């Protein structure tokens, strides 16, 4: 007989993110074999009392697990390093350390990021970096869901060699860890990969039937470089090269013309907004309110810890909404619901996983975050979704669940040895940075 672990979350309020009006004040969630088997309002059916695990959600709200749709997890090692410098100077400092990082260093830095994400309610992340085979083992252990891609940058290592390593990541890891790990190919950006390289990667992605994760239209400099070299916009160039025939995770989209937005609207692209990174590197303000109005799919993300400096999606939501309001001079732009949607349901669509995650509804994977609302800074609970975006802090996360497995509960990480990770990071930091 196969074991079918079941879980009941009772006495819980719920923002399932299926529709704005679908909020449940007092209800339950029943999980079976990693998927949501029932969601309801009021009392739960008595047989659910027999569940293997029962969580009393009184005073908490359940939301779909947060999706950090663009990050570079090993960059946690560079948190707070070379801050407040001009972009090029900052990058040179970062690259100098990255050149000395081993895959083992990247693994531990990535584990540090995963610990931070689990504790702040993130259940899925899309990662772009190097040393991804080792990081995939970390994802397997952590219990998180991830979309992993090995970044390709033209430079010291031949493109074919980098591509071969990306392909082997896909072959070894795509759909692994009971489907928690997905993979993509990743040309770093239009200014670090030539059109020929990008075309090669698209062809490979077609053969492997995977998506593509890249940076697009991040800075004014990028726009100028692409204009000068190819007499096009980054989005226009990618359209011409056929990038949008695949599902694309495109980080940033800060500088977009009306024509660019029209291309994005018609394509299988998820624009990923990274407001704190864009602010810290003084890149600019992405027109997120306009993109949503035009029907472009938009997800939310932290980017790497070197340009943020935390992987806290609650903070990211707050910055996203406030930044749109101040930049449009319109307090109604990017509402709390639209913002939470970018971090959950819309985010799932942006990374191409909307059939499996992003909402709390029957049949979906049980990726759920429970947030404690019995705190002074969220009292009284006038409006839950508003609190989630404008008031809740990462420390208010009470429980993080992926695939029906609890990764974090009662202040404790259940899949990652936090003490060991901190010890390893301290050692690596001393070796690389001090
Ligand atoms: Zn990035």
């Amino acid at each position: 007989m196969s074991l079918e672990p079941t879980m009941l979350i009772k006495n819980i309020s719920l923002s399932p993110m299926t529709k704005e009006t679908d909020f449940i004040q007092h209800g339950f969630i029943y999980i079976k074999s990693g998927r949501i088997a029932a969601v309801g309002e009021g009392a739960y059916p008595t047989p659910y009392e027999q569940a293997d695990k029962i969580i009393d959600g009184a005073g908490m709200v359940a939301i779909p697990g947060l999706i950090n749709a663009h990050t570079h997890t090993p960059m946690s090692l560079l948190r707070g390093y070379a801050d407040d410098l001009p972009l090029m100077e900052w990058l040179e400092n970062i690259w100098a350390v990255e050149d000395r990082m081993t895959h083992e260093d990247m693994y531990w830095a990535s584990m540090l990021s995963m610990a931070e994400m689990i504790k702040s309610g993130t259940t899925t992340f899309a990662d772009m970096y190097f040393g991804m085979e080792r990081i995939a083992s970390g994802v397997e252990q952590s219990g998180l869901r991830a979309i992993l891609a090995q970044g390709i940058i033209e430079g010291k290592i031949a493109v074919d060699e980098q591509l071969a390593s990306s392909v082997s990541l896909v072959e070894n890891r795509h759909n692994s860890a009971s489907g928690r790990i997905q993979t993509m190919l990743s040309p770093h950006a239009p200014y670090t990969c030539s059109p020929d390289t990008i075309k090669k990667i698209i062809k490979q992605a077609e053969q492997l039937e995977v998506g593509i994760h890249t940076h697009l239209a991040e800075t004014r400099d990028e726009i100028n470089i692409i204009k000068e070299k190819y007499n096009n916009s980054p989005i226009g160039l990618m359209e011409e090269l056929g990038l949008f025939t695949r599902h694309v995770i495109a980080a940033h989209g800060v500088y977009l013309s009306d024509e660019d937005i029209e291309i994005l609207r018609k394509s299988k692209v998820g624009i990923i907004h990274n407001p704190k990174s864009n602010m810290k590197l003084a890149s600019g303000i992405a027109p997120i309110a306009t993109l949503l109005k035009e029907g472009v799919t938009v997800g939310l993300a932290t980017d790497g810890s070197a340009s943020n400096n935390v992987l806290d999606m609650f903070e990211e939501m707050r910055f996203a909404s406030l930044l749109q309001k101040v930049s449009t001079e319109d307090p109604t732009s990017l509402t709390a619901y639209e913002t939470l949607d970018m971090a959950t349901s819309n985010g799932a669509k942006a990374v191409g996983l909307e059939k499996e995650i992003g909402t709390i509804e029957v049949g979906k994977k049980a990726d759920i975050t429970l947030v404690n609302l019995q705190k002074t800074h969220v009292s009284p609970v006038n409006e839950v979704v508003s609190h989630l975006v404008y008031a809740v802090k990462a420390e208010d996360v009470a429980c993080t669940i992926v695939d029906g497995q609890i990764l974090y509960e009662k202040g404790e990480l259940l899949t990652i040895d936090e003490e060991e990770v901190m010890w390893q990071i301290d050692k690596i930091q001393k070796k690389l940075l001090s």
Side-chain angles (χ1 to χ4, degrees):
M1 200 183 86
S2 69
L3 252 180
E4 292 214 332
T6 49
M7 192 192 303
L8 168 68
I9 307 170
K10 61 180 187 179
N11 302 323
I12 189 94
S13 67
L14 251 154
S15 189
M17 300 312 289
T18 39
K19 263 206 321 275
E20 195 163 354
T21 48
D22 284 351
F23 190 80
I24 293 175
Q25 203 60 252
H26 183 260
F28 62 90
I29 303 167
Y30 188 67
I31 297 165
K32 194 176 176 188
S33 305
R35 288 192 186 264
I36 297 164
V39 182
E41 190 151 19
Y44 52 87
T46 33
Y48 292 174
E49 288 276 7
Q50 305 305 314
D52 299 302
K53 165 92 181 170
I54 296 177
I55 296 177
D56 188 352
M60 297 182 200
V61 59
I63 54 173
L66 300 172
I67 299 167
N68 187 348
H70 171 75
T71 187
H72 314 281
T73 52
M75 292 188 92
S76 58
L77 211 48
L78 296 156
R79 196 196 313 272
Y81 179 75
D83 276 350
D84 306 327
L85 287 177
L87 185 66
M88 270 332 282
E89 213 176 310
W90 175 79
L91 269 175
E92 278 159 18
N93 272 283
I94 299 286
W95 285 335
V97 182
E98 284 184 325
D99 279 349
R100 302 200 300 273
M101 276 164 79
T102 65
H103 285 189
E104 198 59 14
D105 298 339
M106 292 173 195
Y107 165 80
W108 287 109
S110 173
M111 291 309 275
L112 179 70
S113 291
M114 288 187 228
E116 184 189 0
M117 287 192 282
I118 292 171
K119 286 171 111 176
S120 51
T122 290
T123 55
T124 296
F125 67 101
D127 209 11
M128 178 209 289
Y129 210 70
F130 316 102
M132 274 295 160
E133 264 298 335
R134 193 76 182 87
I135 292 169
S137 312
V139 175
E140 211 170 335
Q141 186 204 321
S142 72
L144 280 166
R145 191 178 303 286
I147 303 134
L148 306 178
Q150 181 110 345
I152 295 175
I153 297 181
E154 274 178 44
K156 281 175 235 164
I157 304 168
V159 166
D160 285 344
E161 194 183 319
Q162 295 185 60
L163 191 53
S165 149
S166 298
V167 169
S168 95
L169 177 81
V170 173
E171 286 169 349
N172 295 339
R173 299 291 188 164
H174 195 63
N175 252 323
S176 67
S178 317
R180 279 189 289 108
I181 297 179
Q182 302 294 309
T183 57
M184 287 191 172
L185 297 185
S186 178
H188 170 266
Y191 57 93
T192 49
C193 291
S194 67
D196 276 352
T197 295
I198 291 169
K199 273 202 259 183
K200 220 181 226 184
I201 296 170
I202 297 167
K203 204 167 155 215
Q204 193 61 256
E206 263 164 30
Q207 281 167 6
L208 295 165
E209 296 180 1
V210 292
I212 289 178
H213 186 170
T214 192
H215 294 100
L216 268 184
E218 179 177 2
T219 62
R220 210 183 288 279
D221 273 355
E222 175 186 337
I223 303 299
N224 294 338
I225 291 167
I226 302 302
K227 174 88 189 157
E228 200 171 298
K229 266 187 158 168
Y230 311 109
N231 194 29
N232 212 334
S233 68
I235 302 289
L237 177 66
M238 290 304 123
E239 159 88 336
E240 212 177 276
L241 296 176
L243 185 79
F244 303 131
T245 55
R246 307 304 311 161
H247 183 97
V248 176
I249 298 180
H252 301 300
V254 173
Y255 295 96
L256 302 169
S257 67
D258 289 348
E259 293 77 44
D260 291 338
I261 293 175
E262 183 55 20
I263 293 171
L264 295 174
R265 197 181 59 79
K266 290 189 294 194
S267 315
K268 292 179 279 186
V269 184
I271 285 289
I272 310 303
H273 184 35
N274 301 264
K276 283 184 69 196
S277 172
N278 295 157
M279 290 170 84
K280 189 172 177 234
L281 297 175
S283 304
I285 303 170
I288 299 305
T290 307
L291 291 180
L292 289 176
K293 205 164 68 201
E294 294 297 324
V296 177
T297 304
V298 185
L300 188 69
T302 58
D303 213 346
S305 315
S307 62
N308 190 308
N309 301 0
V310 288
L311 307 179
D312 172 354
M313 288 293 288
F314 286 99
E315 202 170 279
E316 210 64 42
M317 284 196 279
R318 190 141 53 237
F319 272 80
S321 177
L322 298 182
L323 185 58
Q324 287 305 299
K325 291 179 198 312
V326 74
S327 66
T328 57
E329 294 181 40
D330 176 6
T332 69
S333 82
L334 208 57
T335 63
Y337 188 86
E338 285 172 323
T339 309
L340 183 59
D341 194 43
M342 274 167 46
T344 55
S345 177
N346 218 354
K349 215 172 139 196
V351 299
L353 292 179
E354 71 273 21
K355 289 197 180 101
E356 295 285 39
I357 57 170
T359 56
I360 299 179
E361 54 187 323
V362 172
K364 287 262 176 104
K365 296 273 191 188
D367 288 13
I368 297 166
T369 293
L370 305 183
V371 180
N372 186 356
L373 296 174
Q374 290 179 315
K375 298 279 186 91
T376 47
H377 60 273
V378 285
S379 177
V381 185
N382 285 320
E383 195 57 61
V384 173
V385 172
S386 157
H387 277 356
L388 287 165
V389 173
Y390 301 124
V392 160
K393 299 174 198 294
E395 306 86 81
D396 304 335
V397 169
C399 184
T400 307
I401 301 166
V402 176
D403 252 2
Q405 189 197 356
I406 298 177
L407 310 186
Y408 177 69
E409 194 187 23
K410 299 189 175 103
E412 222 178 302
L413 287 168
L414 304 181
T415 54
I416 296 177
D417 183 341
E418 194 174 337
E419 224 171 281
E420 188 188 8
V421 171
M422 300 282 272
W423 182 80
Q424 293 283 359
I425 289 297
D426 190 49
K427 216 172 61 172
I428 296 165
Q429 193 268 348
K430 285 195 175 89
K431 180 186 77 172
L432 284 179
L433 293 158
S434 57

Short mmCIF file of all heavy atoms in Angstrom, two decimals, residues 24 28 32 53 69 109 134 152 157 181 186 216 219 225 230 239 249 261 309 333 347 361 382 393 395 428-429 434:
data_model
loop_
_atom_site.label_atom_id
_atom_site.label_comp_id
_atom_site.label_asym_id
_atom_site.label_seq_id
_atom_site.Cartn_x
_atom_site.Cartn_y
_atom_site.Cartn_z
N ILE A 24 -11.73 34.11 1.43
CA ILE A 24 -12.47 33.31 2.41
C ILE A 24 -12.06 33.77 3.82
O ILE A 24 -10.87 33.73 4.16
CB ILE A 24 -12.20 31.80 2.22
CG1 ILE A 24 -12.78 31.33 0.89
CG2 ILE A 24 -12.78 30.98 3.38
CD1 ILE A 24 -12.45 29.87 0.54
N PHE A 28 -10.93 26.22 5.26
CA PHE A 28 -9.97 25.12 5.42
C PHE A 28 -9.35 24.76 4.08
O PHE A 28 -9.89 25.07 3.01
CB PHE A 28 -10.67 23.89 6.02
CG PHE A 28 -11.74 23.35 5.13
CD1 PHE A 28 -11.45 22.38 4.17
CD2 PHE A 28 -13.06 23.82 5.21
CE1 PHE A 28 -12.44 21.89 3.32
CE2 PHE A 28 -14.05 23.33 4.36
CZ PHE A 28 -13.73 22.37 3.42
N LYS A 32 -3.68 16.34 -0.24
CA LYS A 32 -3.48 14.89 -0.35
C LYS A 32 -2.43 14.62 -1.42
O LYS A 32 -2.54 15.15 -2.53
CB LYS A 32 -4.82 14.24 -0.74
CG LYS A 32 -4.84 12.76 -0.56
CD LYS A 32 -6.24 12.22 -0.88
CE LYS A 32 -6.21 10.71 -0.80
NZ LYS A 32 -7.45 10.11 -1.27
N LYS A 53 -1.48 15.26 9.29
CA LYS A 53 -0.98 16.48 9.94
C LYS A 53 -2.13 17.51 9.96
O LYS A 53 -2.80 17.71 8.95
CB LYS A 53 0.23 17.02 9.15
CG LYS A 53 0.62 18.43 9.47
CD LYS A 53 1.68 18.50 10.56
CE LYS A 53 2.04 19.95 10.88
NZ LYS A 53 2.88 20.05 12.08
N ALA A 69 10.57 35.30 -9.36
CA ALA A 69 10.71 34.88 -10.75
C ALA A 69 12.02 35.25 -11.44
O ALA A 69 12.19 34.98 -12.63
CB ALA A 69 9.53 35.43 -11.56
N ALA A 109 26.34 29.30 -1.06
CA ALA A 109 25.69 30.62 -1.15
C ALA A 109 24.24 30.45 -1.59
O ALA A 109 23.33 31.15 -1.11
CB ALA A 109 26.46 31.50 -2.12
N ARG A 134 25.25 21.60 -9.22
CA ARG A 134 25.42 21.52 -7.77
C ARG A 134 24.23 22.20 -7.07
O ARG A 134 23.75 21.72 -6.04
CB ARG A 134 26.75 22.20 -7.43
CG ARG A 134 27.27 21.96 -6.05
CD ARG A 134 27.87 20.57 -5.89
NE ARG A 134 28.31 20.40 -4.49
CZ ARG A 134 27.52 19.99 -3.51
NH1 ARG A 134 26.28 19.66 -3.76
NH2 ARG A 134 27.98 19.88 -2.28
N ILE A 152 24.63 32.05 -20.00
CA ILE A 152 25.65 32.01 -21.05
C ILE A 152 26.08 33.43 -21.39
O ILE A 152 25.24 34.28 -21.72
CB ILE A 152 25.10 31.29 -22.31
CG1 ILE A 152 24.82 29.81 -21.98
CG2 ILE A 152 26.09 31.42 -23.49
CD1 ILE A 152 24.16 29.03 -23.10
N ILE A 157 34.95 31.79 -21.83
CA ILE A 157 34.69 30.38 -22.16
C ILE A 157 33.90 30.32 -23.48
O ILE A 157 32.95 31.08 -23.67
CB ILE A 157 33.89 29.69 -21.03
CG1 ILE A 157 34.66 29.84 -19.70
CG2 ILE A 157 33.62 28.23 -21.34
CD1 ILE A 157 33.86 29.46 -18.47
N ILE A 181 11.91 20.48 -10.02
CA ILE A 181 12.95 21.20 -10.76
C ILE A 181 12.61 21.22 -12.25
O ILE A 181 12.42 20.19 -12.87
CB ILE A 181 14.34 20.55 -10.55
CG1 ILE A 181 14.74 20.65 -9.07
CG2 ILE A 181 15.40 21.23 -11.44
CD1 ILE A 181 16.09 20.01 -8.75
N SER A 186 19.72 29.92 -21.06
CA SER A 186 19.78 31.30 -20.62
C SER A 186 20.89 32.14 -21.25
O SER A 186 22.01 32.22 -20.73
CB SER A 186 19.94 31.32 -19.09
OG SER A 186 20.05 32.64 -18.64
N LEU A 216 16.35 41.63 -20.19
CA LEU A 216 15.98 42.43 -21.37
C LEU A 216 15.58 43.86 -21.00
O LEU A 216 14.78 44.06 -20.08
CB LEU A 216 14.79 41.79 -22.10
CG LEU A 216 15.06 40.80 -23.25
CD1 LEU A 216 13.74 40.38 -23.88
CD2 LEU A 216 15.97 41.40 -24.31
N THR A 219 18.62 48.78 -18.80
CA THR A 219 19.17 50.13 -18.59
C THR A 219 19.14 50.96 -19.88
O THR A 219 19.03 50.41 -20.98
CB THR A 219 20.65 50.06 -18.14
OG1 THR A 219 21.41 49.45 -19.20
CG2 THR A 219 20.82 49.26 -16.86
N ILE A 225 23.25 50.86 -26.70
CA ILE A 225 24.19 49.90 -27.32
C ILE A 225 23.49 49.11 -28.44
O ILE A 225 24.00 48.97 -29.55
CB ILE A 225 24.76 48.93 -26.26
CG1 ILE A 225 25.69 49.68 -25.31
CG2 ILE A 225 25.49 47.75 -26.91
CD1 ILE A 225 26.07 48.89 -24.05
N TYR A 230 22.54 47.41 -33.76
CA TYR A 230 21.58 46.66 -34.60
C TYR A 230 20.42 47.52 -35.09
O TYR A 230 19.48 47.01 -35.69
CB TYR A 230 21.02 45.45 -33.82
CG TYR A 230 22.10 44.62 -33.16
CD1 TYR A 230 22.27 44.62 -31.78
CD2 TYR A 230 22.97 43.84 -33.93
CE1 TYR A 230 23.26 43.86 -31.16
CE2 TYR A 230 23.97 43.09 -33.34
CZ TYR A 230 24.11 43.09 -31.95
OH TYR A 230 25.09 42.35 -31.35
N GLU A 239 12.66 39.75 -31.01
CA GLU A 239 11.52 39.33 -31.85
C GLU A 239 12.06 38.87 -33.22
O GLU A 239 11.68 37.82 -33.72
CB GLU A 239 10.55 40.52 -31.99
CG GLU A 239 9.61 40.47 -33.17
CD GLU A 239 8.32 39.74 -32.89
OE1 GLU A 239 8.30 38.88 -31.98
OE2 GLU A 239 7.34 40.02 -33.60
N ILE A 249 11.25 34.01 -19.87
CA ILE A 249 11.27 34.79 -18.64
C ILE A 249 12.23 35.95 -18.91
O ILE A 249 13.43 35.73 -19.09
CB ILE A 249 11.81 33.96 -17.44
CG1 ILE A 249 10.90 32.76 -17.16
CG2 ILE A 249 11.96 34.82 -16.20
CD1 ILE A 249 11.38 31.89 -15.98
N ILE A 261 5.92 47.00 -26.36
CA ILE A 261 4.82 46.51 -25.52
C ILE A 261 3.85 45.66 -26.34
O ILE A 261 3.37 44.63 -25.89
CB ILE A 261 4.11 47.69 -24.81
CG1 ILE A 261 5.08 48.33 -23.79
CG2 ILE A 261 2.82 47.24 -24.11
CD1 ILE A 261 4.58 49.58 -23.10
N ASN A 309 19.21 44.22 -1.00
CA ASN A 309 20.14 43.13 -0.77
C ASN A 309 19.53 41.92 -0.08
O ASN A 309 20.25 41.11 0.51
CB ASN A 309 21.30 43.62 0.11
CG ASN A 309 22.06 44.79 -0.52
OD1 ASN A 309 21.77 45.26 -1.61
ND2 ASN A 309 23.05 45.26 0.18
N SER A 333 -2.74 53.26 -8.96
CA SER A 333 -2.01 52.34 -9.84
C SER A 333 -1.32 51.25 -9.03
O SER A 333 -0.85 51.48 -7.91
CB SER A 333 -1.02 53.11 -10.74
OG SER A 333 0.16 53.38 -10.06
N GLY A 347 2.59 35.67 -11.55
CA GLY A 347 3.99 35.21 -11.52
C GLY A 347 4.11 33.78 -12.03
O GLY A 347 5.06 33.45 -12.74
N GLU A 361 -6.26 26.32 -5.33
CA GLU A 361 -7.49 25.71 -5.82
C GLU A 361 -7.28 24.22 -6.03
O GLU A 361 -6.15 23.76 -6.19
CB GLU A 361 -8.03 26.40 -7.09
CG GLU A 361 -7.07 26.51 -8.23
CD GLU A 361 -7.65 27.36 -9.38
OE1 GLU A 361 -8.85 27.28 -9.66
OE2 GLU A 361 -6.87 28.07 -10.02
N ASN A 382 -8.08 45.09 9.04
CA ASN A 382 -9.16 45.68 8.26
C ASN A 382 -9.25 45.09 6.86
O ASN A 382 -10.32 44.84 6.34
CB ASN A 382 -8.94 47.20 8.14
CG ASN A 382 -9.26 47.91 9.44
OD1 ASN A 382 -10.24 47.57 10.11
ND2 ASN A 382 -8.42 48.85 9.82
N LYS A 393 5.71 41.69 7.31
CA LYS A 393 7.17 41.53 7.17
C LYS A 393 7.49 40.05 6.98
O LYS A 393 6.70 39.19 7.38
CB LYS A 393 7.86 42.02 8.44
CG LYS A 393 7.65 43.49 8.77
CD LYS A 393 8.28 43.80 10.12
CE LYS A 393 7.78 45.08 10.75
NZ LYS A 393 8.13 46.30 10.04
N GLU A 395 9.27 38.15 8.65
CA GLU A 395 9.25 37.40 9.92
C GLU A 395 7.83 36.96 10.30
O GLU A 395 7.66 36.15 11.21
CB GLU A 395 9.80 38.23 11.08
CG GLU A 395 11.16 38.82 10.87
CD GLU A 395 11.11 40.16 10.14
OE1 GLU A 395 10.84 41.19 10.75
OE2 GLU A 395 11.34 40.13 8.91
N ILE A 428 33.69 30.69 3.60
CA ILE A 428 33.86 31.10 2.20
C ILE A 428 34.09 32.61 2.13
O ILE A 428 34.93 33.11 1.37
CB ILE A 428 32.64 30.68 1.35
CG1 ILE A 428 32.53 29.15 1.32
CG2 ILE A 428 32.74 31.24 -0.06
CD1 ILE A 428 31.18 28.64 0.83
N GLN A 429 33.35 33.34 2.94
CA GLN A 429 33.49 34.80 2.97
C GLN A 429 34.92 35.20 3.33
O GLN A 429 35.52 36.07 2.70
CB GLN A 429 32.48 35.39 3.96
CG GLN A 429 32.30 36.89 3.86
CD GLN A 429 33.21 37.67 4.78
OE1 GLN A 429 33.84 37.12 5.66
NE2 GLN A 429 33.26 38.98 4.56
N SER A 434 37.67 38.66 2.44
CA SER A 434 38.32 39.50 3.45
C SER A 434 39.83 39.59 3.23
O SER A 434 40.41 38.89 2.43
CB SER A 434 37.99 39.02 4.85
OG SER A 434 38.38 37.68 4.99
#
